[in-house]
Amino acid sequence: MKLSRFLPVLTWLPCYNRAFLARDLLAAVIVTVMLIPQSLAYAMLAGLPPQMGLYASILPLVLYAVFGSSRTLSVGPVAITALMAAAALGQLFEPGSADMVGGAILLTAMTGLMLLVMGVCRLGFLANFLSHPVISGFITASGLVIVASQLGPVLGIQAGGQNLYEVAMALVRHRDELHGLTLAIGGGVLLALLAARRYLKPLLTGLGVGSRLADNLARIAPVLAVAVTTAVTWALGLDRAGVAVVGDVPSGLPELVMPAADLSLWRQLAISAVLISIVSFVESVSIAQTQAARRRERIDPDQELVGLGASNLVSGMSGGMPVAGSFSRSAVNVDAGAETPAAGALAALGVALATVFLTPAIALLPVATLAATIIVSVLSLIDLPALVRTWRYSRADFVAMLATISLTLGYSVEAGILAGVGLSIGLFLYRTSRPHSAVVGRVPGTEHFRNVRRHQVETRAHLAMLRVDESLYFANARFLEDRVLELVSSQPELTDIVLVCPAVNLIDASALESLEAINERLEAGGVRFHLSEVKGPVMDRLEGTRFLERLTGHIYLTSYQAWQALGAGSRMAAQEPLTGDVCKNA
């Protein structure tokens, strides 16, 4: 087995050259300029000291460059995981306390360990059980909660809460605390960033700036807002006038720490760590797959678990917060021309230099500026029209999406994602427990068979051909029995039933017992039971079982073959069962 499967860095590092370095370095500079204010803002969103955001943007990026399978995913602090960390830690610790910092370090390390275990066990497929409407609903609701939670810092009001209702009530209760200077800064930055997002790129392109450069300049507008408001605060002494600022940020590189060994705290944080692991993985893989498709590359979900796990583990051990893939930074990384994950490692170097040399300048950065930056960055996460689209297409998915949004907004982010996970699995079990099935008939003059309710087809009174459009397993085994017996009771002339299996990729032990029971009951009623279009892997599992030995009918390679063989309605076998290589290769 190739070592590069476990160390993706070996797939690109041996062929690294100066051209790659030049493009990666340019992308790293642009991403670093974005990452520094975002890392500070998301640490604040999580209720943590700002340096924890910086620390989470150094070693985790290097580890992902070694173990991650995506060449362009930008890893670091993101809004959703910051909000989830705030919800988990806020229930246990006093915001900003040393205990909360220790809890954050442990939560981040636990998240990394869980992702690593999932990656080693190759559990990347579990992400498929979270439906897109549920994830979309959770992200939309989380975005709304984040926006509401940052209105307090923009207004100069101390207001917090675990959900939209609590935040809204806190804002109303403390409305008399509104601070005019803070609102001027926060509101001004907010309007400026919104205007830059909408108008700056067209303005720059109109002035002759290239489209890609104009797009990148528009994306790094928050850095200009940080620089300007920090300079104004320093020049006018606004911090002494009541404007909240970040305060002193320790300079220097992070020191390695060991997470707390308190077992009771591990138990208290376990569920939160699992949920953060799931959300960070699903969000990161979705971003990585989108970027890989643009570049005609592929990613390995299981290796992504390892890469994200290693990044979170080292983030915790270096005093950082949970990390995941960022859509905005990844898009900038691609647009800026990044060729390899070395761009992320170079961005980590840029953040490290900033942590060593630039932290004194951050002390007078207004908190309102960071809050406005967070609001603008998460607005793109909110997709309320998705509710309408989902309602029109699938009522069941709409209910799951609405429930996720409602619980996230009205109770907590943890309740919302737990509901989403449960509803996703529940919908899957419900749909597959009642699979679509259809009695099919022959399209005249062809070898094709279609649903008798949708097409003009030929049928025979003594023969029923039932197509099942789902794999057969414990959840739908009883449904199949009921469907076959219902068919027999509605057609007294039946002598033969063919189970058409083109969509059956699996028959588990419960379904096999159901097939045996169906065979016995049909035999008691004088009806033979046949199968057609059985796939090779399914046939391999059936061979040597009692079912094939006791089957009253035959297994046909195609439905047309069954139609021809059973055309006369005779109770004598029309041909020998198809076995051996013919069925194995079906």
Side-chain angles (χ1 to χ4, degrees), residues 495-517:
T495 61
D496 295 273
I497 288 183
V498 180
L499 186 66
V500 185
C501 308
V504 177
N505 299 310
L506 168 73
I507 297 177
D508 74 358
S510 298
L512 178 60
E513 290 185 6
S514 290
L515 291 177
E516 292 172 343

Side-chain angles (χ1 to χ4, degrees), residues 539 543 548 555-557 576-585:
M539 192 65 198
E543 285 186 335
L548 291 189
I555 298 180
Y556 295 99
L557 188 63
E576 290 300 314
L578 295 174
T579 58
D581 293 337
V582 175
C583 285
K584 286 184 179 180
N585 296 326

